């Protein structure tokens, strides 16, 4: 199979380089200075054990020629960029006729739980991926992956439920590339559990490492209550920890710990957008649909948008002001 990684940032870059190092056919899709750097000097992946530079195909979008029929599309952009990415790729022609949306499998390797539904409107074969992969992308042409002894755990299935031969074939390739890649018929239950842990991403982006424990507990508690009101099943922290075990531990790279999560990185890079509307915002949406108050998550949403708009540096949002916004 040929893998097209749509969004070669922290997650996509790690997956793409590791698949490429394992001998799989990979195309990395990026934009701007990051794309230029990959084309000029390759994508460097720094990890606890080694630094490698992948030099292969890189693109800014779909090719003019039809995609091979054995292509797997892997969507790894941030959730706020999903709509544009899908629009760019869904009608790309495929060898033998038809379009990518009609014929090719799409792996949704993103935080949040709304991307699969958005994709299914346009793509017939949608495969959710629950991503546990501690990595950082701040510098063009460079990704730092802190996971050890495996770079990450990528749980795969089919949307809305179940799994198939494609799930198992992709899992085999990811395993060969060094990942832990279990196939699950209930992968969305795991993604909802991951969503609850990702509710703290916005807090970290706003306040840095020193997030008050009570505030982190509050955003999660609102999430648990909203999911219960909506009748949505999710994994527990205990179940997740037991599954992950010691397979994906955070390790320093070149003596440096991971600086921050995905939302923190968006603010640190001045990316111009962040994913809080698809993380905390998912809980706010469910709360409004089912009559559950979610003031802490709504405040985090609002504060992250303000931080993006006003270019407030990552970790520098006034804590007192955020607490006032929550009420």
């Amino acid at each position: 199979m040929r893998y097209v990684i749509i969004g070669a940032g922290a997650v996509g870059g790690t997956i793409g380089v590791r698949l490429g190092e394992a001998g799989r056919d990979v195309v990395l899709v990026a934009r701007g200075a990051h794309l230029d750097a990959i084309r000029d000097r390759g994508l460097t992946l720094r990890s606890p054990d080694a630094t490698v530079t992948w030099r292969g195909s890189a693109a800014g979008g779909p090719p003019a020629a039809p995609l091979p029929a054995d292509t797997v599309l892997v969507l790894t952009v941030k959730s706020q960029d999903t709509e544009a990415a899908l629009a760019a790729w869904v009608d790309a022609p495929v060898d033998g006729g038809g379009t990518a949306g009609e014929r090719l499998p799409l792996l949704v390797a993103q935080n949040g739980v709304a991307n699969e539904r958005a994709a299914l409107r346009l793509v017939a074969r949608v495969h959710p991926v629950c991503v546990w992969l501690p990595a950082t992308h701040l510098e063009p042409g460079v990704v730092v992956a802190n996971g050890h002894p495996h770079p990450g755990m990528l749980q795969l299935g089919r949307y809305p439920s179940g799994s198939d031969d494609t799930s198992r074939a992709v899992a085999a390739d990811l395993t060969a590339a060094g990942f832990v890649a279990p196939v699950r018929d209930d992968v969305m239950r795991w993604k909802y559990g991951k969503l609850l842990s990702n509710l703290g991403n916005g807090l970290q982006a706003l306040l840095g490492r020193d997030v008050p424990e009570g505030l982190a507990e509050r955003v999660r508690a609102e999430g648990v209550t909203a999911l219960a009101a909506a009748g949505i099943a999710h994994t527990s922290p205990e179940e997740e920890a037991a599954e992950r075990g010691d397979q994906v531990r955070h390790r320093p790279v070149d003596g440096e710990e991971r600086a921050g999560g995905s939302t923190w990185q968006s603010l640190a890079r001045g990316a111009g957008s962040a994913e809080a509307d698809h993380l905390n915002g998912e809980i706010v949406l469910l709360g409004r649909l089912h009559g559950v108050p979610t003031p802490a998550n709504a405040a985090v949403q609002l504060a992250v948008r303000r931080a993006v708009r006003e270019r407030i540096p990552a970790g520098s949002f006034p804590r007192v002001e955020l607490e006032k916004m929550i009420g």
Side-chain angles (χ1 to χ4, degrees):
M1 293 183 291
R2 184 180 201 231
Y3 291 91
V4 175
I5 313 294
I6 305 171
V11 170
T14 303
I15 293 173
V17 171
R18 295 296 300 238
L19 282 170
E21 289 291 301
R24 272 54 178 184
D25 189 353
V26 173
V27 177
L28 298 181
V29 179
R31 58 189 178 185
H34 190 43
L35 175 59
D36 293 340
I38 296 171
R39 283 174 165 168
D40 289 345
R41 58 183 185 270
L43 178 58
T44 296
L45 180 66
R46 297 166 53 207
S47 62
D49 293 330
T51 295
V52 299
T53 298
W54 176 90
R55 293 178 174 87
S57 298
L67 293 164
D70 62 352
T71 298
V72 176
L73 302 177
V74 185
L75 190 61
T76 52
V77 298
K78 297 287 176 58
S79 293
Q80 66 269 21
D81 296 321
T82 292
E83 183 178 353
L86 289 173
W89 285 88
V90 65
D91 291 323
V94 178
D95 277 340
T99 66
E102 293 171 316
R103 294 187 55 198
L104 301 183
L106 176 73
L107 270 63
V108 181
Q110 301 167 277
N111 286 336
V113 293
N115 299 297
E116 285 80 6
R117 182 177 174 88
L120 199 61
R121 294 179 185 275
L122 302 172
V123 179
R125 301 167 63 190
V126 176
H127 295 257
V129 183
C130 182
V131 178
W132 289 334
L133 196 165
T136 304
H137 166 54
L138 297 176
E139 176 186 349
V142 179
V143 169
V144 180
N146 294 89
H148 183 85
H150 300 278
M153 176 176 282
L154 304 171
Q155 303 180 82
L156 299 94
R158 186 77 187 256
Y159 187 76
S161 63
S163 59
D164 59 15
D165 289 343
T166 298
S167 307
R168 288 179 280 276
V170 171
D173 280 349
L174 291 171
T175 300
F179 296 96
V180 183
V183 174
R184 299 194 182 282
D185 290 342
D186 64 343
V187 67
M188 289 305 298
R189 186 174 72 90
W190 290 82
K191 292 201 74 165
Y192 273 101
K194 177 76 174 346
L195 172 66
L196 291 175
S197 66
N198 285 149
L199 297 179
N201 287 18
L203 290 172
Q204 184 198 52
L206 294 167
L207 304 178
R209 294 180 184 273
D210 189 23
V211 175
E213 185 176 346
L215 195 51
E217 290 175 349
R218 183 167 178 183
V219 295
R220 181 183 176 88
E222 287 182 0
V224 170
T225 302
L227 291 182
I232 297 173
H234 61 85
T235 51
S236 68
E238 295 76 18
E239 184 178 6
E240 294 159 9
E243 178 67 22
R244 195 161 50 241
D246 291 331
Q247 298 182 96
V248 185
R249 301 191 303 271
H250 287 234
R251 283 280 186 88
V253 174
D254 296 333
E256 297 181 6
E257 299 286 350
R258 188 182 186 214
S262 54
T263 309
W264 182 94
Q265 292 174 46
S266 292
L267 294 188
R269 287 200 315 271
S273 66
E275 61 191 341
D277 287 341
H278 292 83
L279 302 178
N280 305 88
E282 184 72 25
I283 298 307
V284 172
L285 171 62
L286 290 174
R288 289 169 179 166
L289 287 172
H290 299 281
V292 175
T294 57
N297 282 278
V300 171
Q301 254 192 293
L302 183 62
V304 169
R305 289 201 303 269
R306 178 182 157 190
V308 169
R309 185 173 61 251
E310 298 180 7
R311 295 191 173 277
I312 297 172
S316 300
F317 197 91
R319 173 179 163 182
V320 172
E321 190 166 343
L322 179 60
E323 290 173 342
K324 285 181 180 178
M325 292 170 66
I326 295 172

